[in-house]
Amino acid sequence: MSYAAGFESLKREATVGALPIEGSMPRWLSGTLIRNGPAQFEVGTDAYNHWFDGLAMLHAFQVADGEVSYRNRFLESRSRTEALERGQISRAEFATDPCRSIFRRVMSIFRPRLTDNACINIAKLAGDWVAMTETPLPVAFDPETLDTAGVTDFADDLDVQTMTAHPHIHPDTGQMTTYGASFGRSCRYHVCAVDPGSRRRDVRATLPVDRPSYMHSFGLTERYAILSEWPLRVDPLDMLLEGKPFIENYEWSAQEPTRFRVVRLSDGEEVTQVEAPPAFAFHHVNSFEQGDAIVCDIVTYDDASIIDELYLQRLRSDEPTPAVGTLHRYRLPLGGSASPVKPEPLSETRLELPRVHDQRVEGRPYRFVYGVGAREAGNFTDQLVKIDVESGASRMWRESGTYPGEPVFVPSPTGGAEDEGCILSVVLDPNQDRSFLLVLDAETFSEQARAPVPHAIPFGFHGQFLGT
């Protein structure tokens, strides 16, 4: 598969003062797109197993006065530093376990070393920009130089072993809402708020759970947090004793329902639990309150086999990889429901890595979602899509032989309609052995400009646009 080039290591760090531009950049577009994702998949003779495991690299596209510059830097995490010093993988990742001996496995139980290989997302925390993964070890970096500043320690005693890499940032206050899970004899989910400039997690709700679910993201409205417990669950004792990589301890239970647990942020009360048919998802799109119900839009799959589809051995093979899901709407009655709620498909167009106009519609009613898509079932992501959730209509951008990444919406400074602005995406062109920054008009989905980079950028996950 030609897209396998997106899963090869990029060892080179570069700074390019001015990229060539094809087309015309919007004159109003000013700021920096910072992308995060894995870029090194081997250390010595060791190899990481999964797309989610590779060592993190940051990519910055700075746009000003119609011109674009570029730089990329590895995130110098402790996981990367230790691995390079030892010449082998040092810390356990999502689906890679470096504990080769019984002694090392036993010691890892009593002295676990969580990875800080923050290759998933970026966000602003305590005044710093940080890279994030699914452990409570955000890594600060300089958004200008991309130099690593180190792990940002939280100023509290909350003991969690996992934390989402998809916190919600309130568009008006800048407050971060996040969730983490603690494992032990008793397991708990914790919904927390972090005020701007603070490193203290204010616990808003704590929910007991016997067998925690793998939840990559969660929903948030103006008053409620929504935890979606997919029937992919783990016995915490297995995680301690089985010696498997993190995600391989989780087991799919097709006989169990999906369970939505809704908590009120003001007092931490769990106001309802609502069941739905078994499903799995990585990404919530948006949630909002509507009368006596919560509307929760999520990109879902029939089961959790999508995780297995994303092992590197498969992604680099000739096997087809269905890397997109279906946009479903769940209506969750705040008074509960005696029978499972049925998800409503919002469009025939499948997608992943969904983004919306965060500053306007976060936790509120909305109309448009953007994502990566696939022209045919089984294809890897080879197009960008825009879906109108009210009508189900969609628009696409595609170019034969290229593979776009997550679309980031940047609003026009004049305000206006929800889709007034542009879409930024980093697109791999394996035939040219390079990637390019693509700029689309968000309303029409027509191409405005592109800026090629002198090398191929491995497929990443998420990023943010830092306006000036």
Side-chain angles (χ1 to χ4, degrees), residues 84-324:
L84 295 184
E85 288 176 350
R86 299 177 182 181
Q88 62 184 27
I89 296 172
S90 175
R91 299 195 180 197
E93 302 293 342
F94 180 81
T96 301
D97 180 12
C99 293
R100 298 165 178 81
S101 69
I102 294 176
F103 174 76
R104 288 187 65 186
R105 291 186 187 279
V106 171
M107 292 308 296
S108 70
I109 294 173
F110 296 102
R111 291 186 300 177
R113 294 186 306 153
L114 299 177
T115 182
D116 62 347
N117 177 33
C119 66
I120 302 298
N121 203 356
I122 71 167
K124 200 166 189 180
L125 172 67
D128 294 325
W129 281 97
V130 298
M132 311 183 80
T133 186
E134 294 182 301
T135 64
L137 298 174
V139 180
F141 65 90
D142 185 319
E144 293 289 333
T145 65
L146 301 186
D147 291 341
T148 303
V151 170
T152 298
D153 294 321
F154 287 101
D156 57 57
D157 57 1
L158 180 63
D159 184 19
V160 295
Q161 288 72 53
T162 65
M163 181 166 283
T164 182
H166 287 282
H168 293 266
I169 310 297
H170 194 285
D172 298 327
T173 67
Q175 184 183 70
M176 174 187 289
T177 304
T178 186
Y179 108 89
S182 55
F183 299 89
R185 290 184 177 178
S186 60
C187 300
R188 294 177 174 84
Y189 303 134
H190 306 274
V191 178
C192 309
V194 185
D195 290 330
S198 171
R199 291 185 293 111
R200 179 173 294 278
R201 292 166 293 189
D202 177 18
V203 177
R204 295 297 178 86
T206 296
L207 284 66
V209 56
D210 292 331
R211 297 169 59 242
S213 169
Y214 174 66
M215 297 183 288
H216 185 77
S217 64
F218 70 109
L220 191 75
T221 73
E222 293 184 296
R223 294 186 297 167
Y224 300 96
I226 305 99
L227 301 184
S228 49
E229 288 188 310
W230 315 111
L232 181 64
R233 294 180 176 271
V234 65
D235 182 329
L237 290 178
D238 290 344
M239 189 171 289
L240 288 174
L241 301 174
E242 290 293 325
K244 297 178 181 178
F246 170 79
I247 196 59
E248 292 180 9
N249 293 284
Y250 286 78
E251 296 182 353
W252 176 256
S253 300
Q255 295 75 29
E256 293 187 35
T258 296
R259 182 175 293 108
F260 293 95
R261 303 181 68 171
V262 180
V263 299
R264 189 164 47 223
L265 296 171
S266 61
D267 59 8
E269 181 181 351
E270 184 173 9
V271 297
T272 190
Q273 292 188 12
V274 179
E275 293 186 353
F280 176 75
F282 289 117
H283 298 116
H284 283 243
V285 176
N286 198 20
S287 301
F288 55 92
E289 298 162 39
Q290 190 177 70
D292 58 356
I294 290 175
V295 174
C296 200
D297 293 350
I298 310 173
V299 177
T300 68
Y301 300 83
D302 292 339
D303 55 40
S305 61
I306 181 62
I307 295 175
D308 297 329
E309 303 284 352
L310 303 181
Y311 275 80
L312 289 168
Q313 182 176 4
R314 181 180 179 89
L315 290 169
R316 292 166 174 166
S317 74
D318 292 331
E319 295 291 327
T321 300
V324 290

Side-chain angles (χ1 to χ4, degrees), residues 246-449:
F246 170 79
I247 196 59
E248 292 180 9
N249 293 284
Y250 286 78
E251 296 182 353
W252 176 256
S253 300
Q255 295 75 29
E256 293 187 35
T258 296
R259 182 175 293 108
F260 293 95
R261 303 181 68 171
V262 180
V263 299
R264 189 164 47 223
L265 296 171
S266 61
D267 59 8
E269 181 181 351
E270 184 173 9
V271 297
T272 190
Q273 292 188 12
V274 179
E275 293 186 353
F280 176 75
F282 289 117
H283 298 116
H284 283 243
V285 176
N286 198 20
S287 301
F288 55 92
E289 298 162 39
Q290 190 177 70
D292 58 356
I294 290 175
V295 174
C296 200
D297 293 350
I298 310 173
V299 177
T300 68
Y301 300 83
D302 292 339
D303 55 40
S305 61
I306 181 62
I307 295 175
D308 297 329
E309 303 284 352
L310 303 181
Y311 275 80
L312 289 168
Q313 182 176 4
R314 181 180 179 89
L315 290 169
R316 292 166 174 166
S317 74
D318 292 331
E319 295 291 327
T321 300
V324 290
T326 302
L327 179 59
H328 276 116
R329 172 162 290 181
Y330 293 83
R331 298 182 184 273
L332 311 177
L334 286 170
S337 175
S339 58
V341 299
K342 294 183 178 180
E344 170 193 352
L346 295 182
S347 175
E348 295 181 356
T349 301
R350 292 165 64 84
L351 80 161
E352 249 303 349
L353 303 177
R355 296 296 297 265
V356 297
H357 182 165
D358 295 322
Q359 297 175 21
R360 174 175 291 192
V361 305
E362 169 79 22
R364 301 164 184 165
Y366 74 111
R367 183 173 176 184
F368 300 110
V369 57
Y370 312 89
V372 295
R375 281 178 285 185
E376 297 179 6
N379 279 12
F380 195 68
T381 55
D382 57 1
Q383 64 182 10
L384 293 169
V385 302
K386 173 187 179 180
I387 296 176
D388 183 334
V389 300
E390 293 182 359
S391 67
S394 59
R395 294 178 182 266
M396 290 82 168
W397 176 92
R398 63 173 70 106
E399 182 174 291
S400 179
T402 67
Y403 301 91
E406 176 196 51
V408 176
F409 178 83
V410 183
S412 165
T414 60
E418 181 185 325
D419 60 348
E420 183 177 330
C422 68
I423 292 294
L424 304 180
S425 175
V426 178
V427 182
L428 173 68
D429 184 349
N431 294 323
Q432 298 294 324
D433 192 28
R434 69 182 187 183
S435 298
F436 58 88
L437 175 68
L438 174 70
V439 184
L440 302 180
D441 180 281
E443 181 182 4
T444 65
F445 236 49
S446 59
E447 181 173 338
Q448 294 181 293

